[in-house]
Each structure stands twice: as structure tokens, then as C-alpha cells.
Amino acid sequence: MTQSNQPTALAAEQQALLHKSLRRFDIVFLMIAAVVGLETLGQVSLFGAEAFTWALVLAVFFLVPYGLIFAETGAAFSEEGGAYTWVRDAFGRPAAAVAAMLTWITQPVWVGGSMAFLAAETVSVHISPLEHGSFGDYLFKIVFIWITVLAAIVSLRKGKWMPTSGALLKVGLLAFFVFTTVLYAAQNGVVGISGGDFSPSLLGLFGSVPILLFAYLGFESSNSAAGEMENPARDVPVSIFRSCATAAACYLVPIFAILLVVPSDQITGIGGLLDAVGTVYSVYGGAADAMLTITALVFVYVLMSQGAAWMIISDRMQAMTAADGSFFGGFFGRFHPGLGTPVRVNLLSGVVSTAFMLVAMQVTGSGASIFGVVLTISISTFLLSYLLIIPAAIRLRRRYPERPRPFRVPVSDTGFAVLGWLAFAWVLLGSWVAVFPGTLERLFGQEYPFEDIWGVSNTTFEVFTLGTLGFLLALCAVGYARGARVRNEVGAPVPHSVPAGDPTA
């Protein structure tokens, strides 16, 4: 590691406040809680049977190489802060500051601008009417947001149980749904789909790939809390493999089940899973309504636990970014000495999340469409961050050949780079489609009714999209400039967590 990338004195000081409380079991279910999104199933299923095809293609040609490169990188470079420290060690602090900002901002915006609304809609439709804009609606969404923040504020030893329980409920719910779908199919038959319906198309590719990538990305993010793992060198690779395999099954099997029981013209996007659940629960007769209500309650809790998991992970990375002098000096770079959590960044995430929720509640008409554009690109920043993170993993392989690698992908450096650039190519495609929708469709002669899809003109979309990204980059630049004093105070090297005397772990 070069002197310019040496951890700061503040970063080294904060490392000493971390509590070792994450075991392999915790890491696996933290990742399942964060990455496997029930809301994604319906969105992807909108593309019909070919959604299953593209989910399978990405599982093989994206998830496998992506999982391999980060299993190796995460075990070898196990400093608190995860992807921020990887990009810093590969390309320097300015690039790392950008990667961290793009990763972090996604989470509070997503929780406040999307997840809180989905949870409220689920309650209103399936549990108890909740009038939009009412006091109860505001209260529910605010409580939803701040419970996710509270789970990140309390000590990790306690806070981890919300994501863990949510992950267990999520897997159990999906397994029960698939089981019930089999019963339903035996009694009522299935929707007529043929082999030709699974044929991939360019429209399906460009439409579903950003959603699927957003669904598959994030398994390496547990390294943001690597300093709080009991043995990251041993546990990170196994945890990534297990959570990746679980995620692939949790997407592929339920997507196929939804397609079997809900006609493609009746799949309603975000509500797709609960629509399918309501259909197949008919096999339980008079108990169906009560079971659907219970399922909706579980769904809301799962959404809350998913938001909590991301708050726990991303806030730690951003706190270490600040402690390392790359985000507004040292104010946000401090962990609570008793809790061992980055309370100041947790609160900042809660404020950002609440602000997005409040703005979303006020906008209507064309304003709502514009807000939808800003929300979409703010969430798509997660994809954009990997345009730095994946190349960093590739470079670290060559730049630090002496680093002990408890898990090593059994390929040469060139082979490792090929795996990385394959994953990068998919992310580049997804990022382009997210930032410049319609361009590839038109390039290949496909129709793309832009205003019908987005509610705004192409020009308006790009102005607000590029404006949002420009604002985030400007905020990042200001934050980096304000961190100069912290960067100038270099501390002792922070050892990476490789067990002494056991380089192979």
C-alpha cells in the first residue's frame, strides 16, 4: 500500500472501537436479507417468460464470475469499509470517494422513496386501508424508515437479528409459495406458456437486465463490516458462495412459479408476488384470506429487514470513508464508543430517507414523473458504483501479489481479469440502459415510447438524470475537499484480518 493511501489516524482510531460479532451464519443471512428482494420478482416478471431466461443467463454469466472475484478479494482485503478501501488501494482516494458516495446514497433514497411506499401499499391493500396522504400514511412511512435506522444504530450484536430473522422469513415465504404453487397447479392447471415464450429478445434484455443486476449485486458489501467479523478470511468466501446460490434459487424458482399461475397481462409489477400468492392460496379454501393477511405482514417485515440490512452495511462504509478523509472531514467518521456503530451516518441516512419520502408525498402530475426520474437514477447509482469497484478488484490481484489469499480463484491473473471484465460488461450495459434508456432499442430498430414509459420527454429525463449525477459528484467533491485535514493525519497501518499462522484459513 502506498503512503498516500495509508489509513488515516482517525480511521485507525475507529477500528479500535469495532466489536467482533459477525459469524459465518450472520454474514450469510445479512447478505440474503439485503440482496434478495421480494419486490424485484414482480418487476422482472413483467417481461413474461423471457424474464426467467434472462435471470438464468445472468446467474451463469454474471453472478458466477462476480461471486468468484469478490470471494477472493473480500477474503484478502478485509479492512472495515469494504469496497471503499478496495477502490482506494487500487486507484486512490478520489475514486474511492466517488464509489462510496454512489453506493451509500442509493440506500436511504431507496428506503424512503420506494420501500416505505411499497410497505404502505401492502398494508393498505391486504391488511387495513391506509388513505394516501393521511396522518396514518405519513406516520407509517416515518416509523418504517426510522426502524431501519434504529436497527443500524444499536450494536451489531443486537441489530443483526432483524436482517437475520427477515432473511429466514423471506426464504421460508418463498419456499411456501413455491410449494403452494405446486398444489395449485395440480388442482387447476397452469397458464399456457410454450417454449417459444422463453425466447430472449432485445427488448427483454434492455428492460430486465438493470433490474436483475440490481437484484444480483451486493454480496461483497458485507465487507463493509469486515472489521466486525470474527474471521473474514475464512468466512467471506463461503458466505458469498452460499448467499449467491440462495439468491439465484430465490429468484429463478419463484419467477417461474409466478409465470405459471398469473397471466402475463395481469402481472402488476411491484405487486406481482402478492398477486400470485393471492391466486395460489385459493387451494386453502376458507383460510386463504387470513393466510394472505399473514403473508402481507411477513412481506412488510421482510421489506423493513431488507432496508435495515442495507443501512447497517452502507452506513459503515460511508463512515469509514469519512474517517479516511474522503467525506466531510471527521464528523461523520466516528463510531459510537459503546455501541460500535456509526451513529452520525445512521442519522444522516434517516434524514435523507425521510426527506425523499416527504418530497415524494407532495409531488403530483408532471412533478411526480420528474421525481420518479430522480428516484430511478438515485437508485441506479448502485450499478454505477461497480464501474469502479470491479476494476479495483481486478487491479488489486496484480498490484498486491504478495497479499495472502485464503481463497484464490484457480486461474491466472489474466483469467481473473477476464472474469472481472465479463461482470463489468454486464454492469456497463445495465448502467447505460439506466442512464440513457431507449438509445439501444432505437439503435437496433426497436420502438421505445419514451413519454408513455417515463411520463416526461427524453430531454427532460436526461436533464434531470445528468443533473442528479452532477449534483452527487459535486457533493462528493466538496466532501472530499473538506476531508483534507483528516487525510493529512496518517495513522498506523490497519492490519487485514488474516488469522495469524494460518494463511490458508
Side-chain angles (χ1 to χ4, degrees):
M1 186 182 298
T2 62
Q3 181 67 22
S4 61
N5 292 334
Q6 190 77 18
T8 65
L10 180 59
E13 176 186 318
Q14 300 310 301
Q15 290 274 351
L17 301 177
L18 303 178
H19 303 166
K20 300 280 187 181
S21 56
L22 285 179
R23 298 162 298 154
R24 181 181 297 176
F25 173 89
D26 304 316
I27 301 168
V28 170
F29 285 98
L30 181 64
M31 288 299 91
I32 293 174
V35 179
V36 178
L38 297 182
E39 79 286 354
T40 306
L41 296 170
Q43 289 178 290
V44 175
S45 299
L46 279 171
F47 295 93
E50 70 169 302
F52 178 84
T53 303
W54 287 118
L56 182 59
V57 168
L58 261 74
V60 176
F61 295 103
F62 171 76
L63 193 57
V64 170
Y66 157 82
L68 285 171
I69 63 172
F70 284 113
E72 176 176 319
T73 304
F77 298 84
S78 51
E79 181 182 341
E80 184 88 357
Y84 166 78
T85 66
W86 303 341
V87 179
R88 180 198 65 196
D89 293 352
F91 302 121
R93 280 193 176 88
V98 172
M101 171 64 77
L102 292 175
T103 300
W104 169 73
I105 196 64
T106 298
Q107 313 315 331
V109 168
W110 172 68
V111 169
S114 179
M115 299 292 277
F117 285 81
L118 175 55
E121 182 68 14
T122 300
V123 169
S124 184
V125 172
H126 297 284
I127 301 172
S128 177
L130 199 61
E131 184 180 351
H132 180 75
S134 65
F135 174 78
D137 189 27
Y138 275 97
L139 180 63
F140 176 85
K141 289 168 182 170
I142 290 173
V143 170
F144 179 94
I145 290 168
W146 285 93
I147 286 179
T148 69
V149 174
L150 180 62
I153 288 177
V154 300
S155 67
L156 190 57
R157 190 179 302 278
K158 297 177 180 178
K160 68 184 180 183
W161 287 109
M162 185 176 189
T164 299
S165 59
L168 291 169
L169 284 172
K170 183 185 305 183
V171 174
L173 173 60
L174 291 175
F176 185 69
F177 166 64
V178 172
F179 169 75
T180 306
T181 300
V182 173
L183 296 181
Y184 178 88
Q187 291 184 16
N188 303 281
V190 298
V191 173
I193 53 177
S194 64
D197 295 328
F198 291 91
S199 299
S201 69
L202 286 175
L203 285 177
L205 171 65
F206 300 145
S208 63
V209 163
I211 301 171
L212 287 167
L213 286 174
F214 190 78
Y216 281 147
L217 282 168
F219 292 104
E220 84 298 332
S221 57
S222 62
N223 269 79
S224 295
E228 295 159 88
M229 296 178 185
E230 291 183 356
N231 193 332
R234 179 195 65 197
D235 294 339
V236 164
V238 176
S239 300
I240 287 180
F241 293 146
R242 289 180 179 176
S243 54
C244 281
T246 302
C250 285
Y251 284 125
L252 289 168
V253 179
I255 287 174
F256 190 74
I258 291 173
L259 296 171
L260 286 179
V261 298
V262 182
S264 59
D265 59 350
Q266 295 180 24
I267 296 175
T268 58
I270 288 179
L273 176 62
L274 287 179
D275 291 342
V277 167
T279 298
V280 300
Y281 275 10
S282 62
V283 301
Y284 299 116
D289 289 344
M291 292 179 65
L292 184 58
T293 299
I294 293 172
T295 300
L297 285 170
V298 171
F299 187 77
V300 171
Y301 182 78
V302 165
L303 293 177
M304 196 177 294
S305 68
Q306 189 173 356
W310 277 117
M311 290 289 190
I312 289 171
I313 293 166
S314 63
D315 286 359
R316 278 167 165 75
M317 181 194 64
Q318 197 62 16
M320 290 310 299
T321 302
D324 204 47
S326 298
F327 181 68
F328 288 99
F331 179 80
F332 291 110
R334 295 189 179 278
F335 284 66
H336 190 278
L339 299 173
T341 56
V343 175
R344 292 177 180 178
V345 177
N346 297 149
L347 295 175
L348 176 63
S349 290
V351 170
V352 171
S353 191
T354 303
F356 255 80
M357 183 275 292
L358 293 175
V359 172
M361 291 291 289
Q362 299 302 316
V363 294
T364 58
S366 60
S369 297
I370 290 173
F371 178 80
V373 172
V374 175
L375 175 64
T376 297
I377 196 59
S378 296
I379 294 175
S380 297
T381 53
F382 190 55
L383 281 180
L384 295 171
S385 69
Y386 283 87
L387 298 179
L388 287 167
I389 297 171
I390 293 175
I394 296 170
R395 190 174 189 190
L396 289 175
R397 195 13 140 93
R398 293 182 181 274
R399 190 171 189 182
Y400 298 101
E402 76 287 351
R403 174 63 56 81
R405 295 175 185 269
F407 168 77
R408 186 179 184 89
V409 182
V411 294
S412 65
D413 288 352
T414 300
F416 189 86
V418 169
L419 292 174
W421 291 122
L422 176 59
F424 179 89
W426 282 109
V427 172
L428 182 62
L429 172 63
S431 299
W432 181 272
V433 171
V435 177
F436 303 106
T439 53
L440 294 180
E441 286 87 347
R442 289 191 286 267
L443 179 64
F444 287 95
Q446 302 287 331
E447 183 180 355
Y448 191 86
F450 200 98
E451 291 196 33
D452 292 342
I453 294 173
W454 293 101
V456 298
S457 68
N458 198 337
T459 300
T460 300
F461 180 96
E462 295 306 340
V463 165
F464 279 92
T465 294
L466 298 179
T468 301
L469 291 176
F471 171 78
L472 291 175
L473 291 176
L475 181 63
C476 189
V478 172
Y480 188 81
R482 294 292 301 276
R485 178 185 59 80
V486 176
R487 291 194 300 275
N488 291 333
E489 298 176 1
V490 177
V494 178
H496 295 279
S497 302
V498 177
D502 187 11
T504 61

